Amino acid sequence: MRFEKGHKAATRRHIIDVASKCVRRDGISAAGIAGIMGEAGLTKGAFSPHFESKDALVREALASALSDQQHRLDEDQRRGLALEGAIRRYLNRAHLEDPAEGCPSAALLPEIARQPLSTRQDYEQALRSYVSSLAALLPDADSAASRRRATAIFGLMVGTLQFARAVRDTVQAEQILEGGVEAALQLARAPSSY
């Protein structure tokens, strides 16, 4: 059977997109190849022509999710979104309820720490880029203090989202999110000696 030109690349992209959602929703360990391929509408046998291992797929799926997250923040900045808007875009009910479409850090940090070195290095590079974009929203954007503060703000945002996802009570989860927004904004306004 012959396929149209570009079919293999399109299939690979589709598998990465599906895997990206599966690992954020279920976790890296729980997202198996058979399940990912099934959700992609493909057989498990279709996996090996595209990826040498699950680790290779996870690395690309994570990179895709991180790239999407960076793209959203960059687009928000181009539209003039201020830091508070970026924080509220991250710490909101929709993000709380949809880990499959959300931040890979909030969904996967403990598992990312256990991934092969190449995956962790890719994650670190994407993290630096995202933090730099957040730092650009702070008053003294180009300073080392601003980058440290942006790192702390992002850590607070990730932890807040994880914490809110862990509670069953939706009212309490909303309070956790709002508390995280308030704390992140206070940190953003902290003196530059931070």
Side-chain angles (χ1 to χ4, degrees):
M1 177 179 215
R2 299 195 80 194
F3 292 103
E4 291 181 31
K5 186 175 182 169
H7 174 77
K8 185 172 183 178
T11 300
R12 179 184 176 84
R13 179 77 247 159
H14 177 62
I15 294 168
I16 291 168
D17 291 344
V18 170
S20 178
K21 291 175 183 174
C22 288
V23 298
R24 285 181 282 168
R25 182 190 65 218
D26 303 330
I28 294 169
S29 297
I33 299 301
I36 291 169
M37 297 304 286
E39 282 196 39
L42 300 165
T43 65
K44 187 176 177 184
F47 175 81
S48 57
H50 298 282
F51 304 96
E52 64 185 41
S53 67
K54 180 181 175 184
D55 285 344
L57 174 59
V58 166
R59 181 178 180 190
E60 291 196 42
L62 183 58
S64 176
L66 291 164
S67 175
D68 290 347
Q69 181 179 22
Q70 181 71 50
H71 179 73
R72 283 190 299 272
L73 181 59
D74 292 345
E75 282 297 310
D76 286 345
Q77 284 180 306
R78 279 192 279 283
R79 288 192 303 253
L81 188 71
L83 180 64
E84 181 172 353
I87 292 168
R88 288 190 182 281
R89 187 178 202 280
Y90 188 97
L91 293 175
N92 65 53
R93 187 175 190 87
H95 195 187
L96 172 76
E97 294 174 347
D98 194 6
E101 293 288 340
C103 175
S105 296
L108 300 168
L109 272 183
E111 288 188 282
I112 291 170
R114 295 181 191 98
Q115 293 305 298
L117 179 60
S118 60
T119 301
R120 292 193 334 263
Q121 287 172 328
D122 288 352
Y123 174 78
E124 289 173 34
Q125 183 178 4
L127 175 64
R128 281 192 295 276
S129 178
Y130 191 82
V131 165
S132 291
S133 294
L134 277 180
L137 297 172
L138 293 169
D140 53 345
D142 292 330
S143 72
S146 181
R147 285 186 295 281
R148 284 192 309 273
R149 192 174 320 156
T151 301
I153 289 168
F154 184 59
L156 190 148
M157 290 163 47
V158 168
T160 297
L161 187 59
Q162 289 174 321
F163 188 25
R165 283 180 177 163
V167 300
R168 292 181 332 147
D169 183 334
T170 56
V171 172
Q172 184 180 12
E174 291 279 347
Q175 291 170 345
I176 291 167
L177 291 176
E178 191 53 38
V181 169
E182 291 169 11
L185 290 173
Q186 285 179 3
L187 184 54
R189 291 187 291 262
S192 60
S193 63
Y194 169 77

